[in-house]
Every structure is written in C-alpha cells, then in structure tokens.
Amino acid sequence: MLSEVFQGPEMGEFIIIRDTACYSGRRLLKYYINSALKREESVHVLGFDVPEHELRAKLDSSHLHLWLCKDAFALLHMDIHQQGIVECLTHLASTVISVRPVNNTRYAVATTSHRKKSRKVMQKEEFFSLTEDLKLSTEIKPNQTGNVQADLHTKSEMDPTSNLTFNLCLSEVERAEKEKVALPFVFSEEKKSSLLRPGRGSGRIMYEPDSNDDIDDEDPDDDLDV
Amino acid sequence: MFADLNSILNTSPDDVRQREFILLSDRKADASFLIHHFLSFYLKAGCKVCFVGLVQSFSHYSAVAQRLGVNLVQARQKGQLVFVEALKASAAVMFSESTDDAAQMFDYLRSPVPELRALFESVCASLIQAEADSSAPPVLIVDDVSVLLSLGVSVRAVLDFTHYCQANICSRLQGCVVTLVRCDDDDEDEDEDDDESSNRLLRALSHQCTLSLRVEGLQTGYCRDIHGQVEIWWRGTGEDVQSQRRLFQYKVYDKSVSFFAPGTSSAVL
C-alpha cells in the first residue's frame, strides 16, 4: 500500500507522514518526491527543516521548483507538537502514514490509513526499508518474527501422553463401545416417552377425607351456625 | 580531549567533520565532561570557536581545559576563542548593573517576550569574521541551552535560535554546533502537554541534530566504578542516511574518560 499511495487516480490528495525522533520519515518523503519526479511531475518543496542541498541529494532535480499543485505531502514530527494539533492535522489529511522503528533491524513499520473519496477507510501495517538510492521494498506484516516464534513453540511442545503409567489413548473398538454406553441423566427419547405415558404400575394418590382434617379456627367446636 | 571518545566517534583533530550538529543531553547524570571534550577538541583542531557559557565562569572552563592540555587564555588572546560570559552578563542584566556590549547581548531577559535575536547576531558576527582568515570550520558551543528556559525564554525562542544557528553555521559557513540540554528528572509521560519543558526541547533538537550523545545515570543508582551510560546515536543527514546507535558505560577520571561496553567495567570483570 505504501507504494500505491501516490499512484492512485484520485487527485487532490493530502498526505501526512508522521514520525518521531526515533525514526526519521524524511527518507520516505524523499522517496515520494523522487517517484513524482520520475513521472515527470512538477514538485514544489517548502523546506522548513533541512537545507536545500541535503534535500536535493540523490534526487533527480531537473523538475524541482515548479508550481503545479496536484498532491500535497507533509512531514510531521509528532513528538514535538501538542497532541491536539497533531490530531487536527491528521483529520485534514486524506492519507496518514505513521512510521516507527523496529528493534535492531533495518526495517521500519509504516501504518497507513487512507480515506477514499467514498468515505471508505483502509488501514494497513507494513514493514518497509529504503536503500541508499531511495528504492522502496515492503513486506506485509512481521513474517520473520512470527514464524520464528511459531517454530520455537512446535519444537518445545512434546507429546504429553508419551510417558504415562496409565493409558490415555483409545483404540477404535474401545471408542465404539464407549459411544454405545448411554450416560445417566441424559434425556433421551425413550426416557421422555416413558415419563409422559401414565403407566399402570405408576403411583397414585389415595385420599379419604378425615373429620379432623377440616378444623375451622373460628369455630373449633363446630357448633356455630355461620 | 578524550582519545577514547575520538576513536568511538571516528574523528581526530586533523580530520574535523563539517556541518555537524551535535546534541549532548543528560538525565540524572552530568554531561559537562563532553562539553570540555568538544571545547578542547575543536581548539586543538584549530577551529575558531565561539563558546556561550551559561553555567560556569571563564575561569572554571579555563582550569578544566588546562588539565586537558589546552590554554583558553592564550586562545582567547589569539582570537581563536570568543568566550561569551553569559553567566555573569545575564545576572548583570537582571540587576541592571552594566550597559556594556555583553549586557546588550542579553537584553532580551528584560523584555516581555524574550527572544534570542541579539545573541544569535553577535554569535554569528564573531564566527563570520573568522571564516575569512582560516580554512578550519567555525564552531559554536553552548553550555547549556536549558538554562535559557530557566531564565524565562520560551522553548520556541530557543528552537528558533538553534534553527538559525544550524542554518547559518552548519549550512552556510560549513561549521559545527554543539549544544547541551539538561533534562528534568521526572518521567517524560507526565509533562506530555507541558509546553515549556526541557524534555520537549530535547525531543525537538533530536530531530535537528546529526549526532546525539545522551548521558544517563545508571538506573540502579550511584556506582563508584561506573558513572553512567552514554548512548551515541548517529542520525543520518541527507547524504549518509543509515542511523546507528551504540550504548557505552563510562567512568570519568581526572584527565580522561574510559568508555566500555555495558557490563564490562574493570571493576566487574
């Protein structure tokens, strides 16, 4: 996605590259300037940060300094501005690329979020590296680290059932027999029907009314004519 | 001048790199030995040096330089060293005691919105004179810029000053700038939105610099044999791009400093 950011058919993009002191985003910016120059587009640079000769180094500078606004690119040092300002600028941009370093590698991570004209937001995280002569190579997601970790896990995982004093495994016959056994308290169709049918041998309540069962508290002697 | 540090940085007085913006910083440790190193280094290399001393008086720097084998008084008389007595001048301005040239340079301290234009102009003037009659690059050393914050100058004004210095001295005159920033001890997260902190100044200067030496005290506290660690960070400029970091521990001796890889102090091994 990094390499496609600048090649889409949409016009009038505003793209922000956000970096911190740990990793400079300037080379990525130079890569984009260079790729614009290679397509023979005119690029106008407002350099607030570094002198011109540094920026010009390694750029194909024949087309530099001509006015023609198609896309706007900006480099923003996130860590020296207040959070609010950074976020305001981020909202203005149609594409935000945040770069940060990865420990001890020549790769860095770029998180790109792109808002299309249709308001669809696309987000992607990529590993990238830039060579001396501003060639970009990208890699999708942390392949190496992920794989290495996975390998380590599989190696360290031994079969836990191998050294046991009892048998945890089932043969096919055993498994078939086990599945035949109906477990208690499982509500099968048979049980259900036997419970619903009023069987002959099932219990019945026999009740013969007794005179003592019917005592009225307000008339204990049963002699009032209420 | 410490030979150890020269070999780490791969420089020598005969081979001074131009257009360097060197940022020294310290946290819970004292990085002034690096200031003395660079002062004597550039004087030995024959560069014209402008030194803004906000922390100590001339006699202090002179006494230390004497031990490192450089005579500041002589250099000053020859005109190789321009020493701005900022410590005394800023105090004098505050108490409205003097009206001489040095005091005018620090006139900003009394203005409602302090800015460092006068300081920049005088520094530049002293170095431009030098450029005419020597081939070695001019050098500006400031010890240290975070004192300016304490004097009421805003971070923005200090950054303007360093930016102008970089544009003029590094870029136009092909010289070098060395500055020291002392950081607050408290954690960086706490003053995230604090506009006037030295941490913010340090972050902004880290973007500008080409070489950063960050001195920190040991996390485990004071140690007799290891005084702290220094992280050396080559941040690429436009031309040579790959940035590179290395970490060393150090011990300051009377006349020298030894640097060694973490954990390999002679007291440990």
Side-chain angles (χ1 to χ4, degrees), chain A residues 21 48 51 53 58 77 79, chain B residues 19 163 203 207 233 235 239:
Chain A
F48 293 108
H53 64 85
K58 303 222 173 66
H77 297 317
D79 48 352
Chain B
R19 292 185 189 163
H163 195 89
R203 279 201 297 270
H207 280 286
W233 186 8
R235 294 174 53 84
E239 284 111 59

Side-chain angles (χ1 to χ4, degrees), chain A residues 1 10 13 93-95 112-123:
Chain A
M1 189 156 171
E10 295 175 50
E13 299 263 322
S94 60
T95 303
T112 315
S113 61
H114 175 61
R115 263 187 297 154
K116 284 188 168 181
K117 283 265 163 61
S118 59
R119 298 290 164 199
K120 187 182 173 189
V121 179
M122 290 161 63
Q123 248 178 350

Side-chain angles (χ1 to χ4, degrees), chain B residues 38-59:
Chain B
F38 282 108
L39 177 60
S40 54
F41 173 81
Y42 283 118
L43 283 176
K44 273 197 181 156
C47 303
K48 167 110 185 187
V49 178
C50 177
F51 191 98
V52 182
L54 284 150
V55 182
Q56 301 279 0
S57 63
F58 177 74
S59 52

Side-chain angles (χ1 to χ4, degrees), chain A residues 19-22 24 27 30 48-49 51 53-54 57-58 77 79-83 106 130 132, chain B residues 19 163 166 171 192-193 195 200 203-204 206-208 233 235 237-243 245:
Chain A
D19 71 349
T20 58
C22 307
S24 171
R27 296 184 63 209
K30 282 178 80 170
F48 293 108
D49 212 3
H53 64 85
E54 267 181 30
K58 303 222 173 66
H77 297 317
D79 48 352
I80 58 174
H81 301 287
Q82 284 174 359
Q83 184 130 27
R106 54 200 184 81
L130 283 160
E132 295 268 339
Chain B
R19 292 185 189 163
H163 195 89
Q166 191 180 21
S171 194
E192 195 65 59
D193 287 329
D195 214 25
R200 182 162 171 266
R203 279 201 297 270
S206 317
H207 280 286
Q208 281 185 20
W233 186 8
R235 294 174 53 84
T237 53
E239 284 111 59
D240 56 319
V241 271
Q242 212 59 53
S243 76
R245 290 193 203 213

Side-chain angles (χ1 to χ4, degrees), chain A:
Chain A
M1 189 156 171
L2 272 180
S3 48
E4 298 148 22
V5 161
F6 202 26
Q7 290 166 355
E10 295 175 50
M11 301 275 280
E13 299 263 322
F14 175 37
I15 300 155
I16 284 185
I17 303 173
R18 304 198 300 183
D19 71 349
T20 58
C22 307
Y23 187 86
S24 171
R26 185 163 298 118
R27 296 184 63 209
L28 194 59
L29 180 71
K30 282 178 80 170
Y31 163 76
Y32 285 125
I33 294 175
N34 213 22
S35 52
L37 290 173
K38 277 191 186 136
R39 290 196 302 273
E40 306 210 332
E41 285 168 13
S42 307
V43 178
H44 194 89
V45 180
L46 302 174
F48 293 108
D49 212 3
V50 290
E52 190 188 333
H53 64 85
E54 267 181 30
L55 197 69
R56 264 181 191 270
K58 303 222 173 66
L59 289 184
D60 182 9
S61 57
S62 52
H63 295 272
L64 220 54
H65 283 283
L66 290 168
W67 268 110
L68 197 135
C69 253
K70 181 189 164 204
D71 298 288
F73 261 94
L75 181 66
L76 176 69
H77 297 317
M78 279 170 74
D79 48 352
I80 58 174
H81 301 287
Q82 284 174 359
Q83 184 130 27
I85 296 171
V86 173
E87 283 183 3
C88 285
L89 278 170
T90 309
H91 278 291
L92 285 176
S94 60
T95 303
V96 180
I97 305 171
S98 312
V99 291
R100 62 174 193 278
V102 186
N103 288 341
N104 302 324
T105 47
R106 54 200 184 81
Y107 282 96
V109 184
T111 314
T112 315
S113 61
H114 175 61
R115 263 187 297 154
K116 284 188 168 181
K117 283 265 163 61
S118 59
R119 298 290 164 199
K120 187 182 173 189
V121 179
M122 290 161 63
Q123 248 178 350
K124 201 167 184 186
E125 202 161 69
E126 277 168 305
F127 276 51
F128 74 96
S129 71
L130 283 160
T131 53
E132 295 268 339
D133 48 352
L134 296 175
K135 291 231 173 63
L136 179 78
S137 59
T138 56
E139 237 178 84
I140 310 290
K141 262 331 253 185
N143 296 326
Q144 304 107 332
T145 51
N147 280 347
V148 168
Q149 276 172 358
D151 284 348
L152 284 177
H153 276 293
T154 48
K155 270 173 201 163
S156 63
E157 260 180 29
M158 294 187 323
D159 188 11
T161 59
S162 55
N163 285 328
L164 288 176
T165 53
F166 50 92
N167 189 17
L168 267 182
C169 303
L170 288 174
S171 66
E172 277 306 310
V173 185
E174 283 169 332
R175 182 185 300 281
E177 278 177 3
K178 182 187 149 213
E179 276 162 7
K180 269 189 226 159
V181 178
L183 294 172
F185 312 117
V186 174
F187 209 68
S188 64
E189 198 62 35
E190 280 171 45
K191 274 192 180 177
K192 194 174 160 187
S193 59
S194 74
L195 282 174
L196 287 177
R197 190 180 54 223
R200 187 141 302 198
S202 61
R204 244 178 247 168
I205 297 168
M206 313 285 284
Y207 178 66
E208 282 172 21
D210 191 292
S211 57
N212 288 336
D213 289 345
D214 198 23
I215 296 173
D216 189 351
D217 283 341
E218 291 174 356
D219 180 17
D221 299 330
D222 203 14
D223 53 355
L224 297 177
D225 185 20
V226 187

